[in-house]
Amino acid sequence: MGEIKQLGIADHGGVNLKILAKTVIEDVRLGDSIAINGTCLTVTDFDTQLGEFTVGLAPETLRKTSLSELEPGSLVNLERAIQPTGRMGGHFVQGHVDGTGEIVGKDVEGDSLWIKVKVDERMLKYVVPKGFIAVDGTSLTVVDVFDEELCFNFMLVAYTQQKVVIPLKEIGQKKLIINKRGV
């Protein structure tokens, strides 16, 4: 995870997002891709001494994601692009955003957390039980789909709850970034 330091208009007129995250920039280079809450973005500046990097946000990115809702101090999920020779510890998920969703339910069962998400009907037709989906950059397995409610749900085990930003969000609070494409 990383922490938002700044979101705002850059000197060149675009929008920049600056993130504090020492781990993901250990060997970063200009032009590298880092997914922020599941959105693939390009590193435009970095400072390894300060442990921070900057990405630019295009107008389409601002329209299709909830990144514009971030503010200084917000925590975000971060993931570097995988090397084709490296070990993969999850699903292949592209950082191309398919849409957004909203948390409509959170229920505890034992030490796990059920999350129910409402999405657009156009997206829901591609969501299937036991299929995978990425929510805010976290690769997850769909448990059930509720067509009449335009919802799906998934469960977070205790370990995952400590490592991702989804449990920090309240019902209806923020839009979640959904990535359905992948292998």
Side-chain angles (χ1 to χ4, degrees):
M1 285 194 279
E3 181 180 333
I4 301 303
K5 282 192 72 177
Q6 181 181 5
L7 171 67
I9 304 299
D11 294 338
H12 53 75
V15 177
N16 278 347
L17 181 62
K18 186 178 283 190
I19 300 169
L20 178 64
K22 295 181 183 192
T23 309
V24 299
I25 64 166
E26 290 169 346
D27 60 354
V28 75
R29 295 182 309 263
L30 290 177
D32 280 356
S33 294
I34 296 179
I36 300 165
N37 281 356
T39 305
C40 182
L41 297 168
T42 303
V43 175
T44 59
D45 191 27
F46 65 93
D47 184 325
T48 54
Q49 296 294 331
L50 295 175
E52 62 187 32
F53 69 97
T54 302
V55 295
L57 300 176
E60 181 69 358
T61 302
L62 294 170
R63 282 190 292 272
K64 296 289 186 183
T65 70
S66 58
L67 296 177
S68 64
E69 298 176 13
L70 297 171
E71 46 194 46
S74 295
L75 296 177
V76 290
N77 288 324
L78 300 173
E79 190 165 349
R80 296 189 297 188
I82 188 171
Q83 296 290 330
T85 57
R87 181 180 178 278
M88 190 190 80
H91 304 117
F92 277 110
V93 177
Q94 299 176 3
H96 304 280
V97 176
D98 292 305
T100 58
E102 179 182 340
I103 294 176
V104 294
K106 290 173 73 173
D107 295 296
V108 175
E109 182 179 334
D111 66 351
S112 295
L113 180 64
W114 284 99
I115 304 285
K116 190 172 191 180
V117 178
K118 185 171 184 173
V119 295
D120 184 282
E121 184 176 4
R122 292 172 292 164
M123 187 181 314
L124 190 66
K125 67 182 178 181
Y126 298 108
V127 180
V128 296
K130 308 307 178 222
F132 76 88
I133 196 162
V135 177
D136 273 2
T138 304
S139 180
L140 302 160
T141 300
V142 174
V143 176
D144 287 308
V145 176
F146 308 93
D147 292 317
E148 60 286 342
E149 299 174 55
L150 300 177
C151 293
F152 66 90
N153 68 359
F154 56 87
M155 190 174 254
L156 299 174
V157 296
Y159 177 84
T160 305
Q161 292 175 55
Q162 302 302 312
K163 303 295 182 185
V164 301
V165 299
I166 298 167
L168 303 175
K169 296 186 177 186
E170 299 298 325
I171 294 173
Q173 176 190 2
K174 299 274 186 184
K175 291 183 178 176
L176 301 169
I177 299 169
I178 310 291
N179 310 86
K180 186 59 190 112
R181 298 181 202 147
V183 178

